[in-house]
Amino acid sequence: MKLCVIDFETANRHSASACSVGVMVVENGEVLHEAVYLIKPHVKYAYFDEMNISIHGIRYDDVEHEPEFDQIYPYLRPWFEDSILMAHNASFDMAVLNSLFKLYHIDFKTLKYIDSLEIARKVYPFLRNHKLNTVCEHLEIELNHHEALSDAKGSCLIALNTMALMGDFEVEALIDRLNLRINYII
């Protein structure tokens, strides 16, 4: 089974305001695909809040000529539907994905996902916190925090490092050995 790691950045506090998505797909420890897309938010959610800009540096000028999510999703669909999704603090990213599905009336198969935050808490309980940048620093993973592809890679490398410790690069083995909670977008 493939692991498809995603990270969204949003223009504002609305979960449907995605302005970037990073994607990293691995299978048996091998990178199959990586991509980052700038996304023009739907007109209803196209306001860029200064707080969000200060986090990720993306402004409306950066995305005004980019496609909206419904035009990008056909490129993501094969990776999403043939994988277990993962993100760090996945509730945020999956809420964004679900909001985009609803906003654009996108039909999708039920998607399974796990959270690299849960992995980090179980494998590295001694860390002061389990934020992506803290865990990546501990594992000496280079991170350009809040750049979507870099965050997706960081999350992916948390899982791959854990798999290496276990000596097994199967996603199912990771889930079973750590007794990870599988969540669903339905």
Side-chain angles (χ1 to χ4, degrees), residues 86-101:
M86 184 177 78
H88 200 81
N89 194 17
S91 60
F92 171 81
D93 297 280
M94 300 311 159
V96 171
L97 183 58
N98 202 31
S99 293
L100 292 167
F101 285 160

Side-chain angles (χ1 to χ4, degrees), residues 88 120 124 126-145 154-155 157-158 161:
H88 200 81
Y124 309 105
F126 51 85
L127 294 177
R128 69 182 181 279
N129 64 55
H130 296 90
K131 294 178 183 177
L132 182 61
N133 57 328
T134 303
V135 180
C136 286
E137 181 181 319
H138 173 74
L139 294 173
E140 299 180 358
I141 295 168
E142 189 175 320
L143 183 70
N144 179 9
H145 201 22
S155 177
L157 288 170
I158 290 168
N161 273 279

Side-chain angles (χ1 to χ4, degrees), residues 90-133:
S91 60
F92 171 81
D93 297 280
M94 300 311 159
V96 171
L97 183 58
N98 202 31
S99 293
L100 292 167
F101 285 160
K102 288 178 181 172
L103 177 66
Y104 290 103
H105 307 287
I106 295 172
D107 290 327
F108 61 95
K109 291 178 11 181
T110 298
L111 300 173
K112 295 179 182 179
Y113 69 91
I114 58 175
D115 195 332
S116 61
L117 176 62
E118 183 182 3
I119 294 169
R121 286 179 174 153
K122 289 183 177 203
V123 179
Y124 309 105
F126 51 85
L127 294 177
R128 69 182 181 279
N129 64 55
H130 296 90
K131 294 178 183 177
L132 182 61
N133 57 328

Side-chain angles (χ1 to χ4, degrees), residues 3 84-87 113-123 158-159 162-163 166 170-184:
L3 181 65
I84 292 181
L85 295 177
M86 184 177 78
Y113 69 91
I114 58 175
D115 195 332
S116 61
L117 176 62
E118 183 182 3
I119 294 169
R121 286 179 174 153
K122 289 183 177 203
V123 179
I158 290 168
T162 303
M163 292 172 171
M166 295 181 342
E170 288 290 328
V171 177
E172 294 87 346
L174 176 72
I175 292 167
D176 289 343
R177 288 206 184 151
L178 294 180
N179 195 27
L180 297 176
R181 183 177 50 250
I182 297 177
N183 302 287
Y184 299 88

Side-chain angles (χ1 to χ4, degrees), residues 34-98:
E34 63 179 81
V36 63
Y37 299 92
L38 287 174
I39 303 168
K40 180 179 178 181
H42 187 278
V43 68
K44 277 175 71 173
Y45 303 106
Y47 169 74
F48 277 71
D49 186 271
E50 285 301 320
M51 164 99 144
N52 293 60
I53 293 169
S54 73
I55 292 170
H56 53 59
I58 301 169
R59 299 177 174 279
Y60 184 77
D61 293 351
D62 299 321
V63 300
E64 69 179 314
H65 300 294
E66 298 295 333
E68 291 189 29
F69 183 77
D70 61 332
Q71 296 169 295
I72 294 169
Y73 189 65
Y75 300 103
L76 301 175
R77 180 184 297 254
W79 300 114
F80 282 22
E81 291 184 351
D82 192 28
S83 304
I84 292 181
L85 295 177
M86 184 177 78
H88 200 81
N89 194 17
S91 60
F92 171 81
D93 297 280
M94 300 311 159
V96 171
L97 183 58
N98 202 31

